[in-house]
Amino acid sequence: MKLVAALSLLTGASAFAPSAKVAKTTSLEAVNWSPDDSQFCYGLPGVLPPFDEGFDPLGLSDGKTLGTMKQWREAETQHGRVAMLAAVGLLVTEEPIEFHPLFEAANKDIGPAIRHLDEVRAVSPLFFEILGLIIGSLELNRALVGWKAPGENAKFQDLNDDYFPGDVGFDPLNLKPDDAEDFLQMSNKELQNGRLAMLGIAGMVAQELVNGEEIFVNLGLAPDRFDPSSVPVQF
């Protein structure tokens, strides 16, 4: 039951997206957006003060086509969503909360999140195989919604002309605004939180790799009860 509960949480990854409601399309017209050559990144969301002209100190976007910029914004949106889930998941599974859906954390301190996969493999050996199938099915659905089928004039990972980056049609709570301005604001909030989460999760993982202690333990907000010798894999 714990394994099922954990896997069910994965379906919420797209819930961070400003996505389509029932009876709505996922076309550019649905969000009232059209590319503007005069604006940074063709006017896609993600440009906020104080960088009103766009933040690109390395000039990576110079001369890039609309298709390329949409691909990059799609990748940024998806990575941001994963990072937001990862940041929350890392904190709630460590001291002092220690909620983990796969095993009883109360029986022993399972340590920093970077070591949890060792325990997962030991407790639920099939978890990674099932996880791979679930991720594959989610990615296949995203590809079917937003990607062109490779062929005459389409290359691998070319997005559909009427596909807005990140709008995969998953919105069970009907959070997607009807107003174009509200949609832009929600998209900006998602991108900004996703960017922060990507930096945050990278920093937290790096910190745990340095000294092997949990985040709240490093902050002095929780006791260090972790015994490295208790985990199945030793380094």
Side-chain angles (χ1 to χ4, degrees):
M1 291 299 292
K2 290 184 178 180
L3 178 59
V4 174
L7 294 176
S8 67
L9 294 176
L10 295 172
T11 58
S14 297
F16 289 93
S19 201
K21 294 181 181 180
V22 176
K24 281 190 175 181
T25 67
T26 56
S27 66
L28 300 183
E29 289 74 19
V31 297
N32 195 25
W33 180 87
S34 58
D36 185 347
D37 294 344
S38 66
Q39 295 188 31
F40 180 74
C41 291
Y42 296 90
L44 285 166
V47 180
L48 297 172
F51 304 105
D52 295 321
E53 300 300 322
F55 181 76
D56 184 15
L58 299 180
L60 299 178
S61 63
D62 294 346
K64 295 299 186 295
T65 65
L66 172 62
T68 298
M69 296 312 304
K70 286 176 62 178
Q71 289 176 359
W72 288 2
R73 187 49 49 83
E74 170 78 10
E76 181 182 24
T77 301
Q78 296 299 335
H79 283 85
R81 291 168 181 171
V82 172
M84 285 187 280
L85 287 174
V88 172
L90 182 144
L91 294 176
V92 301
T93 56
E94 295 186 346
E95 288 273 15
I97 302 173
E98 279 202 319
F99 169 76
H100 205 294
L102 293 181
F103 43 84
E104 298 292 339
N107 295 338
K108 67 175 181 179
D109 191 321
I110 55 179
I114 59 172
R115 304 301 305 271
H116 289 184
L117 293 182
D118 306 336
E119 194 78 17
V120 170
R121 174 63 80 180
V123 175
S124 302
L126 293 178
F127 174 81
F128 293 97
E129 286 73 14
I130 298 175
L131 177 63
L133 291 175
I134 291 177
I135 293 176
S137 63
L138 293 175
E139 288 298 290
L140 175 60
N141 176 74
R142 186 161 68 96
L144 292 174
V145 171
W147 269 250
K148 293 180 180 178
E152 300 176 353
N153 298 318
K155 298 179 181 179
F156 177 66
Q157 290 189 334
D158 280 352
L159 299 180
N160 289 323
D161 295 334
D162 63 348
Y163 174 71
F164 190 85
D167 194 2
V168 296
F170 181 78
D171 185 19
L173 299 180
N174 290 331
L175 297 178
K176 180 180 177 180
D178 295 312
D179 181 74
E181 185 63 29
D182 291 341
F183 179 86
L184 176 63
Q185 292 181 8
M186 179 174 282
S187 297
N188 283 329
K189 290 177 181 178
E190 181 185 25
L191 285 167
Q192 290 298 89
N193 282 282
R195 291 164 179 171
L196 178 61
M198 285 188 280
L199 292 173
I201 191 63
M204 288 187 283
V205 170
Q207 177 60 54
E208 293 190 351
L209 287 171
V210 168
N211 61 8
E213 294 183 355
E214 298 151 85
I215 297 302
F216 287 114
V217 172
N218 274 293
L219 294 174
L221 301 176
D224 186 8
R225 300 186 296 113
F226 176 54
D227 178 11
S229 64
S230 67
V231 296
V233 180
Q234 300 299 317
F235 295 98

